[in-house]
Amino acid sequence: MPDPNAYAAHEGLVGDARARPELWRLAAGLGIVLVLYVTLNAVLFAFIGQLLQPDQAQGLLHGTSTSAALILLLSFGFLTLGVAIAARQMQHRSLAAILGPRRLLLQQFWMVLRALVILGLIMAALPPYGMGETLTQNLALSTWLLLLPVSVIAVLIQTSAEEVLFRGYIQQCLAARFRSPAIWMGVPSVLFAAGHYAPGVTGENALLVAIWACIFGLLAADLTARSGTLGPAIALHFLNNAVALLFISLPETLSGLALYLLPYDMSETGTLRQWLFVDFAVMTVSWLTARLALRR
């Protein structure tokens, strides 16, 4: 476990949460988040479903069309709304307090994002080239470019929402109650991993994907605790998902905005599993790069 002094900046996020650190408040707050998120999504999808044919409605659930992917990603805004309401009602905290100082958040977000983009360009220029399989064109380049501004915003909303919940609300509430980083970093990361455990979609890769998500959660938690804002974690999460959702995507879920598709799905145990192990290494290098960027 890192030196607790390295996480001194985290106190700026946790300080006002210490006034109401009871675990029942966190549990009730998560209940509010869940109810609001499920209810608002149900209303949204019921309304949109009335406007679509049955086959189109099925595609909406998987995000395999452009409109469906945008709707699914933008619907994560309900998650941020739920956290904002829960924090206000249960801990008397604002969403701004969870995010961290606005100016510092933006500064750190851009610092880390810029460093990670440079890292990505360097890695793309190095061999091996491609992913060993022929990619399928999903969107015409002109269409993809036209959609790119709103696609980027949609991915940013989705990734920010997850960071606000896991590295923001849950992590800060636990840190207000427990001193050990093993708890306030570990518990949200395990919950984040549980949310990514989907044997019905990922098949035999389900546990590996969940482990990947848990490690990602720990690294994002570390960046948040070192920086004192959610900016670096959002930047790391955003770039990771932007590559996977907007550039080269898997075909079965949230592929509607991608320029290219891979010729296999998440349950494939051959080539995909090999790339998952590569992704572990890329994730670690990206985390180290983000830490270096924050030291400037």
Side-chain angles (χ1 to χ4, degrees):
M1 187 61 61
D3 178 4
N5 291 331
Y7 294 157
H10 196 233
E11 183 60 29
L13 290 171
V14 178
D16 64 339
R18 295 193 190 282
R20 296 173 179 83
E22 297 86 359
L23 291 182
W24 70 264
R25 292 182 181 274
L26 172 59
L30 292 177
I32 292 173
V33 173
L34 179 63
V35 169
L36 283 174
Y37 181 66
V38 171
T39 301
L40 292 174
N41 269 295
V43 172
L44 173 65
F45 291 122
F47 173 76
I48 295 175
Q50 295 296 318
L51 307 176
L52 302 176
Q53 298 297 324
D55 58 332
Q56 294 174 318
Q58 185 65 26
L60 175 63
L61 297 176
H62 298 288
T64 51
S65 69
T66 298
S67 57
L70 283 173
I71 291 169
L72 284 173
L73 291 172
L74 292 172
S75 70
F76 276 81
F78 294 144
L79 194 62
T80 301
L81 175 63
V83 170
I85 293 174
R88 176 63 68 184
Q89 294 300 314
M90 303 311 304
Q91 286 88 14
H92 296 186
R93 301 184 69 211
S94 66
L95 182 61
I98 293 173
L99 288 165
R102 180 175 177 271
R103 185 172 181 179
L104 182 60
L105 179 145
L106 292 174
Q107 179 186 22
Q108 292 176 338
F109 173 85
W110 288 114
M111 286 172 57
V112 171
L113 185 64
R114 186 164 53 244
L116 293 178
V117 168
I118 292 172
L119 173 67
L121 292 174
I122 292 173
M123 290 193 295
L126 297 174
Y129 303 107
M131 300 185 69
E133 301 285 347
T134 302
L135 300 176
T136 302
Q137 184 100 23
N138 184 50
L139 293 175
L141 181 60
S142 58
T143 302
W144 183 80
L145 288 172
L146 185 64
L147 288 168
L148 191 58
V150 68
S151 299
V152 166
I153 292 172
V155 174
L156 183 59
I157 288 173
Q158 180 256 323
T159 51
S160 297
E162 292 189 351
E163 292 307 312
V164 164
L165 175 61
F166 291 98
R167 262 64 67 181
Y169 186 57
I170 299 176
Q171 178 169 316
Q172 292 166 24
C173 285
L174 289 174
R177 177 63 179 81
F178 301 100
R179 292 190 176 276
S180 173
I183 297 176
W184 53 260
M185 291 174 63
V187 172
S189 298
V190 170
L191 293 175
F192 187 65
H196 286 76
Y197 183 73
V201 176
T202 54
E204 294 181 17
N205 293 322
L207 182 58
L208 187 60
V209 171
I211 292 172
W212 181 97
C214 184
I215 294 174
F216 179 92
L218 289 170
L219 299 183
D222 174 81
L223 291 177
T224 301
R226 290 177 184 275
S227 63
T229 81
L230 291 184
I234 292 174
L236 179 68
H237 201 159
F238 167 73
L239 192 61
N240 176 82
N241 284 25
V243 172
L245 298 178
L246 304 185
F247 289 89
I248 303 175
S249 183
L250 292 158
E252 72 273 19
T253 56
L254 282 175
S255 59
L257 299 172
L259 182 59
Y260 294 104
L261 298 179
L262 289 164
Y264 42 74
D265 57 33
M266 280 294 292
S267 61
E268 202 269 343
T269 57
T271 304
L272 179 63
R273 183 168 291 186
Q274 297 173 12
W275 279 106
L276 281 173
F277 286 111
V278 172
D279 207 27
F280 275 105
V282 172
M283 177 172 56
T284 303
V285 173
S286 297
W287 166 66
L288 291 172
T289 300
R291 284 187 54 179
L292 287 173
L294 289 171
R295 290 182 178 180
R296 294 181 185 178

